[in-house]
Amino acid sequence: HKYGTPSRWGNSAGGPGTAALGGGGTVGQHHDEHSDTISQFDHLTYQNADTPMFSLETLERNVSRNRGMVTALAAANNVVVVGTNRGTVIRYDFAEGGVTELEVTNREATVDHLFLEPQARHLLVSLVDNTKKPVDFVYVHCSQKKGRSLPRLKGLSVSCVGWNKSAISQAGMREVVIGTKPGVIYELEVQEKEKRERVFKQLYEVGDSGETLEALQLEVLSGPGHSTNSTNQYFLMAVTTTRCFVYSATGSLEALFYVQGMQGPLVELPGQPRTSELHFRTSGQHKHGTTNFAWLAGPGVYNGLLHLGASSLAAGDTETSAKQMVREHTIMPFPASLPLGSPISMAVTEYHYLLLYEDSLQAVN
């Protein structure tokens, strides 16, 4: 039995250790001077002592196709997207077996980040010049080879994206939250048939320490009848390298910050991790409105359970109610079996945390 969650897994700055994770089996990529491959990591149902619990299989070699050095990766729903330092983006569809080179820029630029929504229908591409200055932000639909620039995001140092999975369709995506390195959160709406952003507005600025906003995760529970957004429940978790913030509200993304605008972090953890990642995972065993979360932080994996049901908001949209939704939270220190330091990246399956290091992958129950 294979496990995997649609998510982004990697060192988007490139170099050794760049990797990605996708659904339907865990798909990873490691890049250095001599290696340029995509591999599949499977968790197999245990049968007997002679049956391996885990396996690693190479799916694709030379994934950059001699178009430069891999600098960014994203994966979801059996699709892996690779970006290079020459501005090339290549889409691998392991369900359909296709490989497509996408047109995202006609200038000298490096792909800095790739953001792929959970069903792999919409892709966002951040491009920088050789000084790491942002030069363009591009949207690509899965049915198209050529991307289009989103002019209102041009020049922004976009560092993370959170998806409202219930507001994404083949035609477009709404209520996408965009995070930037200075810590500003925006709302984005894009429709495939239109030539520019339908909605793009600033929502909030997180914290006051000048830390980069590293990751965002958004959960939205539809209200009774599923007819309007007025009773939808929104929960947003945002992390920097050392701090984790939570916000909750009913009705809209903007409402997340009406009351909780000046709240302090849920938790602050010491250390300077090589990367800070945030993952949500909802299991079929969970009750409606409960989700596991895992934050890759300095001391280890900060994890717990989110209770996002209607009863959690009974006290109103306050800082207290948002923090009370986070239950059973704890820190899992990094394994001490090998002196590996902090991981490059992390992925979450139903039963394991997958911790990626420079030259190894650890599965921790």
Side-chain angles (χ1 to χ4, degrees), residues 171-190:
M173 50 187 183
R174 297 182 296 103
E175 296 187 325
V176 179
V177 285
I178 303 287
T180 65
K181 290 182 180 179
V184 181
I185 297 176
Y186 297 86
E187 178 182 352
L188 172 69
E189 177 181 347
V190 176

Side-chain angles (χ1 to χ4, degrees), residues 41-58:
F41 176 82
D42 289 342
H43 176 195
L44 307 174
T45 301
Y46 181 78
Q47 296 175 348
N48 55 61
D50 297 324
T51 302
M53 183 173 290
F54 301 103
S55 69
L56 187 65
E57 174 188 0
T58 298

Side-chain angles (χ1 to χ4, degrees), residues 271-333:
Q272 291 297 322
R274 299 175 62 178
T275 185
S276 181
E277 294 181 11
L278 180 63
H279 299 274
F280 280 10
R281 193 179 196 284
T282 301
S283 167
Q285 299 176 355
H286 288 165
K287 295 180 180 179
H288 177 66
T290 60
T291 298
N292 283 113
F293 75 90
W295 171 30
L296 181 61
V301 179
Y302 179 71
N303 63 94
L305 192 64
L306 305 176
H307 289 256
L308 309 178
S311 60
S312 301
L313 288 172
D317 302 333
T318 66
E319 173 183 351
T320 301
S321 67
K323 291 183 176 180
Q324 285 179 345
M325 294 180 186
V326 183
R327 313 277 180 86
E328 305 168 31
H329 45 104
T330 186
I331 271 258
M332 184 202 78

Side-chain angles (χ1 to χ4, degrees), residues 207-225:
D208 56 3
S209 68
E211 286 185 292
T212 296
L213 191 56
E214 297 283 353
L216 293 168
Q217 286 286 351
L218 177 67
E219 284 290 323
V220 181
L221 296 183
S222 298

Side-chain angles (χ1 to χ4, degrees), residues 68-79:
M69 189 174 181
V70 174
T71 54
L73 258 159
N77 198 27
N78 288 315
V79 171

Side-chain angles (χ1 to χ4, degrees), residues 269 294-304 329-335 343 346 351-355 357 362-365:
L269 299 175
W295 171 30
L296 181 61
V301 179
Y302 179 71
N303 63 94
H329 45 104
T330 186
I331 271 258
M332 184 202 78
F334 297 127
M346 177 184 71
Y351 299 108
H352 295 84
Y353 297 123
L354 305 181
L355 302 177
Y357 295 87
Q362 285 200 342
V364 182
N365 194 304

